[in-house]
Amino acid sequence: MDSNAASAQAILSRDDHLPFHRKVTYAFTDMSGNLLYCIISSYMLYFFTNVFGMTVGTAGTLLLVGRVFDAIGAPTMGFLIDHTHSKYGKSRPWFLWMSLPFAVFVWLLFTTPGLTGTAKLIYAGVMYILADLSYTAMSTPITSVLPNLTSNPDDRTLANSIRLVGGNVGNFFAVTFIIPLANVLGGANKQRGWSLAVGIYAIVALILLLIAFFDMREKNIEKNEVITIRESLKAAKSNWPWILIVGANLIYWTAFMVRNSTLAYFFQYNMGHESYISLFNGFSIIQVIGMASVPLFVKFMKKWGTTVFMLVLTCVGQAIIGFAGTNVTAMLVGWCIACIGSGSACTMFFGMVGDTVDYGEWKNGIRANGFLTAIGASFCIQMGSGFGSFIPAQILKGFGFVAGAKTQSASSLTGIRFAFVWLPIIIYAFSIILMVFYRKWEKHEPIVRRDLAKIHAAEAVEAEAK
């Protein structure tokens, strides 16, 4: 880099450190989202069958159809972000605009009016789609805003790790306490209990999201011109690292949701202890150990190697659960191992999709933060969640599961066990294969960063001269 470019790079780096308090409030965005979304992802199938009163086949189909609508909404949201212009930036204002709709729609989803037949299904379907669309509109900016908070790669990695830890805290409170709180507030009336409990969570989520909005700042460190839909699509052309991340992340979320959506059934019917649902979900907080240690693993194993290692660790944990029989202690050990692995892998995918934005700019000259991160993150979550709910629902239906029954047949118990323990391992394996191929592109990242630094430095010099 010549002296002028070096000087310009210094200008770019000046005051580009992301303060710790903003790393924490950035984490509030994911904490808020997970506080509500993890109730949907972990208990929606269970709620529809055992509280709302649907058959498992109907519930599974509704969840898949709803996710298809929401998955379409993800790239749309990406385009909207790329076309957003406000004094708050491109991504940040969406936290303000969507905070209230997100909280309200999720609360309405778990509020069951006295409807029957077709009206009941329509209400459930509409509220499910609205809740998920509002989540997409709120969560997509969480990933797209990161490249514009700082250009410092170390700050990005640390901020992303803290964000995922915050998200895991939200997940912990969502999956651990929602059923006990609903039981306390509703007593024998489960529908009333769920409505009140989710309403409390919605208020907390709204407050967290507003705090994050008011503290966050987007910096003008990237190109900020309007990007057309055609240009956004061009940013994905030949962007092989992005294609691999999208495929691997979609498969990851499918496997993750297969496990989560069948957990409640497994412990209620196979283990005979409904209290184990909150117990095991509570222990999922242990995955913050893996999330917090991700930057250290990356230093020694690179990003692709860390992701592969964590996915393998997840499969090992799942296998321990499968071989534990009725030994709850051994099962809990396997669960903790699986959670550490899956939580850390999730952290890696969110971090790497931001790197593919850099590659898209280097390869095609277009920086489409919104579109690329929307597909790489929100689309994968929504579509993977749809597959991850539909597939086990159809398996349970095929094995004779009866919604709301106090006990299940031996065949049904076999289906539940397969869906909860072994099916996720099979699906995770495909994600591992794709991440092995990602190794080639990670080796290319220093060249991408070097060339972009020169380009941005030259732009800074030109801007200073005007």
Side-chain angles (χ1 to χ4, degrees):
M1 185 181 297
D2 59 32
S3 60
N4 289 335
S7 174
Q9 184 61 26
I11 294 173
L12 284 174
S13 300
R14 186 174 60 202
D15 298 327
D16 195 27
H17 172 67
L18 187 63
F20 182 76
H21 70 90
R22 289 209 172 110
K23 293 185 177 81
V24 174
T25 51
Y26 175 56
F28 282 1
T29 60
D30 220 19
M31 186 185 298
S32 172
N34 280 3
L35 196 62
L36 296 181
Y37 184 75
C38 287
I39 299 176
I40 297 175
S41 62
S42 296
Y43 295 117
M44 200 74 260
L45 184 61
Y46 178 83
F47 178 84
F48 276 162
T49 58
N50 287 30
V51 179
F52 206 85
M54 295 184 190
T55 64
V56 69
T58 300
T61 301
L62 187 152
L63 292 175
L64 177 61
V65 172
R67 294 294 186 184
V68 170
F69 278 98
D70 299 326
I72 295 172
T76 302
M77 191 61 217
F79 291 133
L80 289 175
I81 290 173
D82 286 334
H83 286 77
T84 298
H85 288 275
S86 78
K87 62 181 180 180
Y88 302 120
K90 285 181 170 290
S91 301
R92 180 188 170 203
W94 289 95
F95 300 127
L96 175 65
W97 298 336
M98 296 308 304
S99 56
L100 185 60
F102 174 53
V104 170
F105 287 137
V106 174
W107 172 67
L108 289 175
L109 175 61
F110 287 93
T111 299
T112 52
L115 301 174
T116 59
T118 303
K120 185 176 184 178
L121 293 178
I122 292 175
Y123 175 85
V126 170
M127 287 304 135
Y128 180 65
I129 292 173
L130 290 176
D132 272 355
L133 284 176
S134 63
Y135 171 73
T136 299
M138 184 280 298
S139 64
T140 302
I142 296 177
T143 306
S144 66
V145 76
L146 181 57
N148 286 346
L149 293 179
T150 175
S151 61
N152 187 304
D154 293 332
D155 268 359
R156 284 185 185 179
T157 299
L158 183 57
N160 188 63
S161 294
I162 295 175
R163 163 209 163 182
L164 268 296
V165 170
N168 191 66
V169 172
N171 171 73
F172 170 74
F173 281 98
V175 301
T176 305
F177 301 113
I178 190 64
I179 288 182
L181 183 60
N183 290 338
V184 169
L185 295 177
N189 189 337
K190 287 189 174 183
Q191 294 183 347
R192 180 175 182 271
W194 276 86
S195 178
L196 291 174
V198 174
I200 293 172
Y201 276 51
I203 293 172
V204 175
L206 173 64
I207 294 172
L208 288 172
L209 207 52
L210 290 176
I211 292 174
F213 164 77
F214 284 113
D215 187 58
M216 193 175 295
R217 297 292 184 274
E218 284 192 56
K219 299 180 180 180
N220 296 321
I221 57 175
E222 313 289 2
K223 289 189 277 187
N224 198 37
E225 61 266 15
V226 174
I227 300 174
T228 66
I229 294 177
R230 186 175 182 179
E231 288 174 326
S232 295
L233 294 173
K234 184 180 177 182
K237 183 180 179 181
S238 299
N239 193 335
W240 289 106
W242 177 77
I243 293 170
L244 289 171
I245 291 299
V246 169
N249 202 20
L250 175 61
I251 294 169
Y252 165 86
W253 279 101
T254 300
F256 183 80
M257 283 303 302
V258 166
R259 185 189 71 175
N260 279 18
S261 63
T262 53
L263 179 145
Y265 296 127
F266 179 80
F267 288 111
Q268 178 174 346
Y269 296 115
N270 293 64
M271 298 300 294
H273 290 278
E274 188 175 358
S275 61
Y276 286 173
I277 300 172
S278 295
L279 173 66
F280 274 72
N281 272 327
F283 267 92
S284 64
I285 190 68
I286 199 172
Q287 63 190 5
V288 298
I289 296 175
M291 291 177 173
S293 63
V294 158
L296 180 62
F297 274 92
V298 170
K299 286 184 179 180
F300 294 98
M301 303 177 65
K302 305 302 181 184
K303 285 176 282 192
W304 78 272
T306 300
T307 308
V308 168
F309 174 77
M310 293 304 177
L311 289 173
V312 170
L313 194 66
T314 305
C315 294
V316 170
Q318 287 287 121
I320 292 174
I321 296 173
F323 291 117
T326 58
N327 188 325
V328 178
T329 302
M331 196 175 292
L332 195 57
V333 170
W335 174 253
C336 289
I337 292 173
C339 286
I340 291 173
S342 62
S344 301
C346 180
T347 303
M348 294 306 305
F349 284 125
F350 282 122
M352 287 185 290
V353 74
D355 296 329
T356 67
V357 173
D358 292 337
Y359 186 88
E361 181 182 6
W362 176 84
K363 179 73 175 179
N364 302 303
I366 299 171
R367 189 171 187 84
N369 287 35
F371 175 71
L372 294 182
T373 57
I375 299 295
S378 296
F379 173 83
C380 293
I381 294 173
Q382 299 289 6
M383 203 67 252
S385 297
F387 290 140
S389 297
F390 177 77
I391 294 171
Q394 299 310 307
I395 290 175
L396 265 58
K397 179 182 178 182
F399 277 83
F401 178 86
V402 179
K406 292 184 177 180
T407 60
Q408 299 290 338
S409 66
S411 175
S412 178
L413 295 178
T414 298
I416 294 172
R417 184 177 186 82
F418 171 75
F420 175 66
V421 177
W422 303 113
L423 183 57
I425 295 177
I426 296 171
I427 301 175
Y428 277 129
F430 291 98
S431 186
I432 293 172
I433 293 171
L434 290 181
M435 287 313 303
V436 171
F437 284 103
Y438 185 81
R439 178 183 181 184
K440 169 186 175 182
W441 303 104
E442 184 175 353
K443 289 182 177 180
H444 192 62
E445 285 179 6
I447 298 174
V448 172
R449 285 196 296 268
R450 182 198 65 200
D451 290 349
L452 288 181
K454 291 181 179 179
I455 294 172
H456 295 162
E459 290 172 350
V461 169
E462 184 179 347
E464 287 283 310
K466 291 181 178 180

